[in-house]
């Protein structure tokens, strides 16, 4: 068996990597595409889940970060900087330390999931909490990168989009063609843009016969692309997509128009419902933002937009262990209390409703 070598080596011929590029990889990419019969029963479509939580730091950001950090070092950078709702900071911190440089990460104070904060700190990033939201943090990161010797690794950096497009290549390789529909969470819309680019390149290279319709979803309290205007105080439990002024807004509109795509808004209640379906019926544990792909599929199927038998791929962007508190609540917000019994077999059998065979 040969080990998966990370996206820069696996797709070297389709990325701007040369012998001069110092490849900084943690083995990202090559994530599973998992059939989801529970979602097929509900929608009549053929459904696969692209589980990006299986990347080294637990989100798709690693695909972009291997490229962004490698290119930054190729260009002589000693430090990278990013604004983050959490996953970008975790990924930047890990790849920077692996590449032997420094990462500075700006996050909105008190609004980042504990698992992500812990990752950035564990990997030794210079972590600074900003009294503001993600959009404020991104503005500061951009200004710092313009005025100081630090290299910006947010998705406004095209290297990030380049690395992330490899996920579309993997989908096409596994299915043998592009799907009819691709469902994806949208925050800054970098990943929506990246998949569209990947699918477009596959089509041009003859690896596939069609472009999927790209269906992106934002949370209702944070849906600037859907409503067409900047959201000053974006609000949703899905912290990874709590973004009021998406950096790749215009690219995303172009991608939507090119693919006969769609942007929709989903309530937090529907996101949590989809989160529950994914974990309890498919066996895939994601963070809330990721579940919006599932909620989006269910909503569009209900709207009658998804013909029976269509192939649908759903990107689920981040691992459930990053933000596990939502699993410990019922849908109406009560705490889930695991049962406690004495350390006796009969007591456990009683709770499980097991009877002694006669
Ligand atoms: C970053 C992120 C998103 C949003 O991706 P964009 O490229 O900003 O649209 C969605 N889900 C998770 C888990 C993320 O980390």
């Amino acid at each position: 068996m040969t080990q998966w070598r990370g996206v820069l080596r696996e797709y070297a011929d389709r990325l701007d990597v040369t012998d001069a590029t110092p490849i900084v990889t943690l083995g990202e990419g090559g994530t599973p595409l998992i059939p989801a019969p529970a979602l097929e029963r509900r929608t009549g479509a053929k459904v696969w889940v692209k589980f990006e939580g299986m990347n080294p730091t637990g989100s798709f950001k690693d695909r972009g970060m291997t490229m962004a950090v490698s290119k930054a070092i190729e260009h002589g950078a000693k430090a990278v900087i990013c604004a983050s709702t959490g996953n970008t900071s975790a990924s930047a911190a890990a790849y920077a330390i692996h590449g032997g440089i420094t990462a500075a990460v700006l996050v909105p104070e008190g609004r980042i999931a504990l698992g992500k904060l812990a990752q950035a700190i564990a990997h030794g990033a210079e972590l600074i909490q900003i009294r503001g939201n993600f959009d404020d943090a991104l503005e500061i990161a951009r200004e710092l990168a313009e005025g100081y010797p630090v290299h910006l690794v947010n998705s406004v950096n095209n290297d990030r989009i380049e690395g992330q497009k490899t996920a579309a290549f993997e989908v096409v390789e596994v299915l043998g063609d592009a799907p009819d529909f691709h469902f994806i969470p949208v925050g800054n819309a970098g990943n929506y843009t990246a998949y569209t680019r990947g699918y477009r390149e596959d089509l041009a290279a003859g690896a596939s016969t069609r472009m999927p319709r790209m269906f992106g979803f934002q949370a209702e309290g944070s849906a600037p692309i859907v409503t067409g205007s900047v959201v000053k105080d974006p609000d949703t439990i899905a912290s990874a997509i709590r973004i009021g002024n998406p950096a790749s807004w215009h690219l995303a509109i172009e991608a939507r128009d090119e693919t006969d795509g769609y942007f929709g808004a989903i309530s937090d209640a529907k996101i949590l419902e989809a989160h529950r379906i994914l974990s309890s019926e498919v066996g895939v544990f994601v963070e809330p933002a990721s579940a919006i792909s599932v909620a989006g599929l269910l909503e569009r199927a209900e709207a009658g937009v998804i013909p029976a038998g269509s192939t649908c791929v759903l990107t689920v962007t981040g691992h459930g262990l990053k933000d596990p508190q939502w699993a410990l609540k019922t849908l109406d917000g009560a705490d889930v209390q695991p049962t406690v019994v004495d350390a006796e077999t009969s007591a456990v059998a009683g709770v499980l409703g097991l009877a002694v065979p006669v």
Side-chain angles (χ1 to χ4, degrees):
M1 180 203 162
T2 52
Q3 178 165 267
W4 175 266
R5 298 166 299 163
V7 298
L8 297 199
R9 290 201 177 94
E10 295 293 337
Y11 297 108
D13 54 335
R14 308 182 69 178
L15 294 166
D16 178 23
V17 285
T18 68
D19 291 343
T21 313
I23 292 181
V24 180
T25 179
L26 295 167
E28 62 296 316
T31 56
L33 190 65
I34 303 169
L39 299 177
E40 299 188 348
R41 281 195 297 278
R42 281 182 154 82
T43 59
K46 299 199 202 86
V47 184
W48 287 266
V49 173
K50 181 73 170 154
F51 189 15
E52 290 291 282
M54 293 298 285
N55 278 295
T57 77
S59 85
F60 75 85
K61 298 298 197 302
D62 295 344
R63 293 179 187 273
M65 207 55 75
T66 180
M67 184 76 180
V69 169
S70 297
K71 295 303 281 187
I73 294 174
E74 181 179 340
H75 295 129
K78 296 279 183 281
V80 292
I81 190 164
C82 64
S84 178
T85 60
N87 283 330
T88 300
S89 65
S91 188
Y95 281 82
I97 203 71
H98 196 72
I101 62 171
T102 305
V105 304
L106 310 182
V107 299
E109 183 189 21
R111 304 206 76 189
I112 121 167
L114 188 62
K116 305 175 187 180
L117 189 66
Q119 284 179 291
I121 291 171
H123 293 307
E126 286 287 346
L127 183 120
I128 300 172
Q129 303 206 46
I130 303 288
R131 290 191 195 96
N133 60 28
F134 169 85
D135 303 290
D136 300 322
L138 180 58
E139 202 172 306
I140 295 168
R142 291 175 106 145
E143 282 170 14
L144 285 170
E146 272 165 30
Y148 299 84
V150 287
H151 196 91
L152 187 67
V153 292
N154 277 104
S155 60
V156 291
N157 176 338
N158 186 56
D159 294 329
R160 282 274 311 277
I161 308 288
E162 280 290 294
Q164 287 169 212
K165 75 183 181 186
T166 60
F169 298 163
E170 292 174 16
V171 170
V172 170
E173 276 172 43
V174 172
L175 296 182
D177 203 344
D180 296 313
F181 295 88
H182 192 109
F183 294 78
I184 187 168
V186 173
N188 276 304
N191 214 26
Y192 184 97
T193 305
Y195 271 88
T196 306
R197 186 184 295 178
Y199 283 127
R200 185 191 304 125
E201 291 183 8
D202 261 351
L203 181 64
S208 63
T209 65
R210 58 176 172 247
M211 285 296 283
R213 295 180 66 185
M214 293 295 302
F215 279 24
F217 296 89
Q218 301 193 296
E220 262 175 12
S222 178
I225 300 182
V226 179
T227 61
S229 52
V230 170
V231 178
K232 277 268 178 295
D233 280 309
D235 185 34
T236 167
I237 56 143
S239 58
I241 52 172
R242 192 187 287 144
I243 286 163
N245 189 9
S248 294
W249 194 327
H250 295 290
L251 291 173
I253 295 291
E254 274 173 40
R256 178 199 63 190
D257 293 345
E258 173 190 347
T259 67
D260 192 16
Y262 172 81
F263 288 111
I266 301 285
S267 70
D268 281 2
K270 288 286 180 194
I271 292 173
L272 286 179
E273 213 177 291
H275 185 264
R276 188 59 56 92
I277 291 169
L278 202 52
S279 49
S280 68
E281 297 184 33
V282 183
V284 172
F285 188 33
V286 300
E287 62 171 287
S290 307
I292 204 169
S293 295
V294 176
L297 167 68
L298 298 176
E299 190 273 332
R300 288 289 83 193
E302 190 133 303
V305 178
I306 315 296
S310 305
T311 52
C312 297
V313 169
L314 283 52
T315 296
V316 294
T317 42
H319 205 289
L321 294 174
K322 297 217 176 222
D323 197 2
Q325 58 162 322
W326 305 103
L328 300 174
K329 298 238 180 250
T330 63
L331 285 179
D332 41 31
D335 290 334
V336 176
Q337 298 290 0
T339 308
V340 182
V341 298
D342 290 335
E344 282 168 19
T345 307
S346 61
V348 177
V351 170
L352 294 176
L354 296 173
V356 180
V358 277

